Amino acid sequence: QLDPYSVLVVRRRCWKPRFSEAESASSRLRERLPSTYIKQKGVGVGGSTPKVVFESELGEIPLEKLANAMSGEDPWEADPNGGLMAMYFARIEAWDMEIGAWAEGGAAGGVQGKTRSVGYVKPLPPAPMCPKQSRIQSTCHVVSSDERVILEQSVMTL
């Protein structure tokens, strides 16, 4: 005799693990991941194109060395005598920096390369009725291949 207000749920699972197929599917998935967040978010679809903010000829620098300088374990804290990214943050006069570890999984797992968050304060150009400095929260994404190295940065001022 069942209570008329009770609910009875029965579920059967007929699942057989096939690890070799799952491993090959995950390796195929990694190959098809978009290389940048711009591609992942669909910016540029439907006729609009992302705006190139800066482009420069660097001369003859081995791409592997450039990629290691951007995505390696060198400290990113602003230092004019430090690595590439430390010199960049020193050049923009960043201070009070909070640099996150390289992310794994989540949104970072949806693209190729490495992703980390960086928070800092930087001075602003003088302007009437504007603050002298601003807090910045940035997401840095570095992806490299044999042909190119991309540093993609999403910046939000607070």
Side-chain angles (χ1 to χ4, degrees):
Q1 177 79 359
L2 288 176
D3 180 10
Y5 299 104
S6 67
V7 176
L8 183 63
V9 177
V10 177
R11 289 175 38 177
R12 264 196 258 181
R13 294 187 182 198
C14 299
W15 176 71
K16 294 181 183 176
R18 297 184 189 148
F19 295 111
S20 61
E21 289 177 12
E23 288 172 6
S24 64
S26 68
S27 66
R28 283 193 305 264
L29 178 63
R30 267 187 249 121
E31 292 172 6
R32 286 185 269 165
L33 290 176
S35 59
T36 62
Y37 283 112
I38 288 173
K39 285 184 182 175
Q40 182 193 42
K41 301 296 181 196
V43 176
V45 175
S48 67
T49 57
K51 178 181 174 187
V52 175
V53 177
F54 176 77
E55 189 172 321
S56 177
E57 182 66 37
L58 297 176
E60 294 198 25
I61 298 175
L63 289 180
E64 183 178 346
K65 191 171 185 176
L66 182 62
N68 288 339
M70 288 184 182
S71 64
E73 295 304 319
D74 293 341
W76 279 30
E77 284 79 12
D79 179 5
N81 300 317
L84 179 66
M85 296 307 292
M87 287 189 289
Y88 164 75
F89 287 115
R91 180 79 183 251
I92 65 168
E93 301 176 22
W95 75 89
D96 196 19
M97 296 185 69
E98 295 179 19
I99 300 164
W102 291 108
E104 296 178 16
V111 293
Q112 299 173 18
K114 292 180 161 184
T115 303
R116 76 176 356 163
S117 64
V118 181
Y120 54 95
V121 178
K122 81 173 249 123
L124 298 174
M129 305 293 291
C130 291
K132 293 180 181 179
Q133 63 194 29
S134 181
R135 288 184 303 132
I136 310 276
Q137 185 61 47
S138 174
T139 301
C140 297
H141 174 235
V142 179
V143 63
S144 63
S145 66
D146 294 338
E147 305 88 37
R148 63 185 177 166
V149 177
I150 299 172
L151 171 62
E152 184 180 34
Q153 199 171 15
S154 172
V155 179
M156 180 173 41
T157 60
L158 307 172

